[in-house]
């Protein structure tokens, strides 16, 4: 179909705002997005459908339009339901870049536009692609992953094409799970995450002992613009070697997977609001009865989602996990944990706290021990850059709603222990809380600052003035348990150089690093820093 077909009688009543001379462009598909930079998910020929949630200032319009033009989009349709009429700055940007701009009135659903384009495109394509688009109705109306399974069954049965939809942790969302081993899934998601981190253009190719696979991303919610929260479509074979028509089939399948992901994320919004409410109640130390009522609403919702009538339960034990992301966008950790815990329990509440998240989960049937969570999140290491980290702390079970406030504090202390470790994904459990971290957490801030200042201020000032490396040397010396040879090897310096630096630290501080008491003081001061 062409862009002008969207303005024809019988089309979803869109308004043309810019680039009326470019309406003969061919539309091969549609992408619904509110990402700030959707370019990595564009393959060329798409109509981009957006709610404009990415726009916080007029200059954002120029950047967004420039991005989709570079990605090969042929038109932009902007919905007016969320933020009101299409702003002039977006109209001007589309005119400058000769990008057809269509306004979607607030009474026209995005789904109607997607369905209309699907019908028009399918009329011009081969029978296999038409059959896939016909399944779109099943996809957008089915609960859970049933719609995706129906589409993948069609491809497997009619076209002998094996496909899987995988979560970034390697969980099978749709597709024949028995035909893809856990080891292969782990390798595929790691290959996908590494390619996304390197910003390679999809499809990404992975060659395993069982054969070649092509990997295409399905973006997560706009508020979590991170590949670590994306689903991935894994297709058996190398799609770059296919015919053009068959490659188009894979591209459209990736779009359908993204549409299902969007539908599923929309269904989570109410549960997220309840999770945020519970966290707010815990943070202001609300009455346990208030917390219990919020938990009751959560479990009632889970019962309706399952389709299994039951009396919602709010009594019993609960676990709390506190997570923090470094080098990740706000909302990413929340989306990651929602994906990771999908199979662990249907009653997990995941609240967002900017760069972090808090998980509240019933302990009896849905416990997520620290070791299991660590293993679950391990594949994500491949998608974290040099500065990226995810640290998680897990509490011991809390008895009833009244114990959740203490469990939250315990989880946060455990996360501090995880953060002190080396690694991109670190998890600490309640059994590790017999640590100095708990003692430090109880010390008033002014006492911490004074203690740290007395031990380290002169050393830090010396480093700044002389471009020295005394603080890093001190850290390495303590990590090496005072071993001169191991510390020198770690720092790649001669032992005599190390001895000189340690001597300088002792002169500046009046402390003796051969004494255990002084080593402990320095260690604690560095922890406080």
């Amino acid at each position: 179909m062409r862009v002008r077909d969207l303005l024809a009688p019988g089309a979803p009543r869109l308004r043309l705002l810019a680039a009326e001379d470019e309406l003969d462009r061919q539309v091969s598909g549609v992408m619904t997005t509110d990402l700030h930079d959707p370019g990595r998910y564009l393959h060329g020929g798409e109509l981009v459908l957006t709610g404009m949630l990415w726009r916080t200032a007029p200059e954002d319009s120029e950047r967004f339009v420039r991005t989709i033009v570079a990605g090969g989009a042929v038109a932009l349709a902007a919905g007016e339901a969320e933020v009101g009429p299409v702003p002039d700055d977006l109209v001007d940007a589309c005119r400058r870049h000769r990008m057809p701009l269509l306004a979607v009135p607030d009474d026209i659903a995005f789904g109607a536009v997607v369905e209309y384009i699907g019908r028009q495109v399918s009329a011009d394509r081969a029978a296999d692609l038409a059959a896939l688009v016909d399944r779109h109705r099943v996809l957008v109306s089915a609960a859970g992953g049933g719609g995706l399974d129906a589409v993948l069954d069609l491809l497997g049965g009619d076209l002998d094409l094996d496909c899987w939809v995988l979560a970034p942790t390697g969980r099978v969302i749709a597709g024949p799970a028995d035909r893809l081993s856990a080891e292969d899934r782990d390798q595929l998601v790691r290959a996908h995450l590494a390619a996304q981190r390197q910003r390679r253009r999809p499809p990404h190719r992975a060659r395993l002992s069982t054969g070649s696979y092509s990997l295409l991303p399905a973006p997560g919610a706009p508020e979590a613009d991170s590949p670590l929260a994306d689903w991935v479509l894994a297709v058996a074979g190398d799609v770059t070697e296919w015919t053009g028509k068959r490659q188009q089939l894979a591209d459209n399948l990736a779009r359908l997977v993204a549409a299902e992901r969007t539908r599923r994320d929309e269904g989570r919004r109410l549960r997220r609001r309840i999770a945020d409410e519970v966290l707010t109640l815990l943070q202001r130390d609300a009455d346990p009865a208030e917390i219990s009522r919020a938990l009751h609403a959560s479990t009632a919702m889970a019962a309706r989602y399952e389709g299994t009538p039951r009396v919602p339960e709010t009594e019993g034990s609960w676990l709390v996990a506190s997570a923090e992301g470094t080098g990740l966008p706000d909302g990413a950790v929340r989306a990651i944990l929602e994906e990771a815990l999908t199979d662990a329990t249907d009653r997990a509440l995941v609240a967002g706290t900017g760069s972090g998240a808090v998980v509240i989960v019933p302990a009896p049937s849905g416990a997520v021990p620290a070791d299991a969570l660590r293993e679950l999140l391990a594949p994500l290491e491949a998608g974290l850059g040099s500065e990226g980290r995810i640290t998680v702390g897990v509490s011991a079970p809390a008895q009833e709603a009244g114990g959740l406030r203490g469990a939250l504090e315990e989880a946060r202390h455990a996360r501090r222990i995880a953060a002190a470790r080396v690694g991109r994904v670190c998890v600490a459990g309640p059994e590790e809380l017999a640590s100095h971290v708990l003692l430090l957490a109880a010390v008033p801030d002014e006492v911490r600052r004074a203690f740290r200042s007395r031990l380290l201020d002169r050393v830090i000032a010396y480093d700044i003035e002389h471009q020295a490396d005394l603080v890093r040397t001190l850290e390495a010396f303590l990590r090496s348990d005072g071993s001169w040879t191991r510390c020198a090897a770690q720092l790649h310096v001669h032992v005599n150089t190390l001895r000189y630096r340690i001597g300088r630290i002792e002169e500046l501080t009046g402390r003796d690093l051969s004494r255990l008491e002084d080593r402990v003081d320095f260690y604690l001061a560095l922890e406080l820093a």
Side-chain angles (χ1 to χ4, degrees):
M1 67 173 292
R2 300 185 185 279
V3 176
R4 67 172 64 255
D5 295 333
L6 289 164
L7 302 170
R13 196 165 47 81
L14 309 183
R15 303 193 316 275
L16 178 65
L17 300 180
E20 54 275 2
D21 296 334
E22 302 292 333
L23 300 184
D24 285 328
R25 295 182 178 185
Q26 194 76 31
V27 179
S28 62
V30 59
M31 176 188 183
T32 303
T33 184
D34 274 305
L35 298 176
H36 290 274
D37 181 7
R40 61 187 178 185
Y41 303 118
L42 292 170
H43 305 287
E46 295 95 344
L47 170 101
V48 174
L49 192 58
T50 180
M52 299 186 290
L53 298 180
W54 43 264
R55 182 185 177 276
T56 57
E59 55 268 22
D60 293 339
S61 295
E62 171 68 21
R63 182 169 56 249
F64 185 83
V65 174
R66 188 169 59 245
T67 297
I68 64 172
V69 167
V74 297
L76 174 63
E80 298 179 325
E82 291 288 340
V83 298
V86 177
D88 291 340
D89 48 87
L90 182 56
V91 177
D92 293 340
C94 287
R95 285 175 178 158
R96 283 193 296 274
H97 292 277
R98 303 181 65 82
M99 172 63 65
L101 174 62
L102 305 168
V104 184
D106 57 9
D107 61 338
I108 301 295
F110 278 10
V113 179
V114 172
E115 186 173 0
Y116 179 80
I117 293 175
R119 287 200 309 267
Q120 297 299 312
V121 169
S122 67
D124 300 328
R125 295 189 179 170
D128 56 355
L129 186 56
L132 177 62
V133 177
D134 286 342
R135 292 299 183 104
H136 190 200
R137 193 185 313 277
V138 178
L139 174 65
V140 297
S141 62
L148 288 179
D149 278 318
V151 173
L152 300 189
D153 285 346
L154 169 68
L155 293 175
D158 295 354
L159 303 177
D160 194 27
L161 181 61
D162 285 337
C163 303
W164 299 264
V165 179
L166 305 176
T169 55
R171 175 176 59 89
V172 176
I173 296 166
D178 57 336
R179 300 178 65 174
L180 194 64
S181 69
E183 181 180 355
D184 284 351
R185 296 198 305 268
D186 182 79
Q187 292 185 55
L188 288 176
V189 296
R190 287 177 183 269
H192 164 71
L193 291 170
Q196 290 285 81
R197 177 170 53 82
Q198 296 162 10
R199 296 188 174 275
R200 300 208 303 266
R201 189 178 181 86
H204 310 131
R205 294 185 294 277
R207 185 174 297 278
L208 309 184
S209 60
T210 53
S212 296
Y213 297 85
S214 299
L215 308 171
L216 296 97
E223 59 266 26
D225 181 13
S226 170
L228 291 168
D230 290 352
W231 286 355
V232 56
L233 171 65
V235 182
D238 186 347
V239 301
T240 62
E241 298 176 353
W242 293 359
T243 63
K245 187 177 297 183
R246 203 168 173 86
Q247 286 185 23
Q248 202 167 35
L249 180 137
D251 291 342
N252 277 270
L253 179 58
R255 293 187 184 100
L256 293 182
V257 173
E260 168 63 9
R261 174 63 190 269
T262 299
R263 186 202 65 77
R264 200 285 314 273
D265 286 343
E266 286 293 328
R268 281 181 168 171
R269 289 188 183 276
L270 179 57
R271 191 166 183 79
R272 285 173 173 171
R273 285 201 294 271
I274 292 177
D276 289 339
E277 178 187 347
V278 172
L279 179 59
T280 299
L281 292 173
L282 292 178
Q283 288 174 331
R284 64 181 177 85
D285 203 13
D287 187 278
E290 275 191 89
I291 300 172
S292 185
R293 282 193 292 271
L295 295 175
H296 186 282
S298 166
T299 52
M301 183 188 305
R304 288 196 300 272
Y305 181 79
E306 291 173 353
T308 305
R310 72 181 184 202
V311 176
E313 300 172 0
T314 57
E315 302 302 323
S317 299
W318 298 77
L319 288 175
V320 178
S322 175
E324 188 72 24
T326 303
L328 300 175
D330 286 356
V333 172
R334 179 184 206 166
I336 289 166
L337 289 175
E338 284 178 334
E339 287 300 329
L341 297 174
T342 295
D343 279 351
T345 177
D346 59 349
R347 296 167 60 199
L349 288 174
V350 186
T353 57
S355 63
V358 171
V359 180
I360 302 170
V361 59
S365 59
V368 185
D371 289 342
L373 190 57
R374 187 182 299 111
E375 183 177 349
L376 202 59
L377 298 178
L380 301 179
E381 294 178 354
L384 292 166
S386 58
E387 301 299 323
R389 293 192 77 201
I390 298 174
T391 54
V392 186
V394 182
S395 75
Q399 297 303 314
E400 305 178 349
L404 284 176
R405 182 71 179 86
L408 175 60
E409 289 302 316
E410 189 175 80
R412 286 172 170 167
H413 293 325
R415 198 204 63 78
R416 286 189 178 185
I417 294 176
R421 293 176 175 160
V422 176
R424 294 183 177 179
V425 177
C426 298
V427 183
E431 67 281 357
E432 302 175 69
L433 287 177
S435 162
H436 65 279
V437 175
L438 274 180
L439 296 177
L440 293 180
V443 177
D445 287 345
E446 60 273 15
V447 176
R448 296 191 203 186
R449 286 193 293 270
F451 180 79
R452 182 178 64 235
S453 176
R454 280 198 297 271
L455 267 78
L456 295 181
D457 274 6
R458 296 188 66 188
V459 180
I460 294 171
Y462 185 92
D463 274 353
I464 294 172
E465 181 180 353
H466 299 279
Q467 299 297 302
D469 213 5
L470 296 187
V471 172
R472 190 168 73 92
T473 299
L474 177 59
E475 290 174 332
F477 185 72
L478 296 175
R479 280 198 306 270
S480 303
D481 299 322
S483 169
W484 297 98
T485 54
R486 278 194 287 129
C487 183
Q490 181 181 336
L491 293 173
H492 305 290
V493 299
H494 194 275
V495 172
N496 288 341
T497 301
L498 175 62
R499 291 186 183 277
Y500 171 80
R501 292 181 182 178
I502 295 299
R504 176 61 66 185
I505 292 170
E506 291 175 334
E507 290 176 11
L508 290 169
T509 61
R511 298 296 188 105
D512 182 355
L513 277 164
S514 66
R515 298 177 67 247
L516 176 61
E517 294 89 340
D518 287 342
R519 288 188 190 180
V520 170
D521 285 348
F522 275 120
Y523 177 79
L524 294 176
L526 289 168
E527 286 287 289
L528 293 172

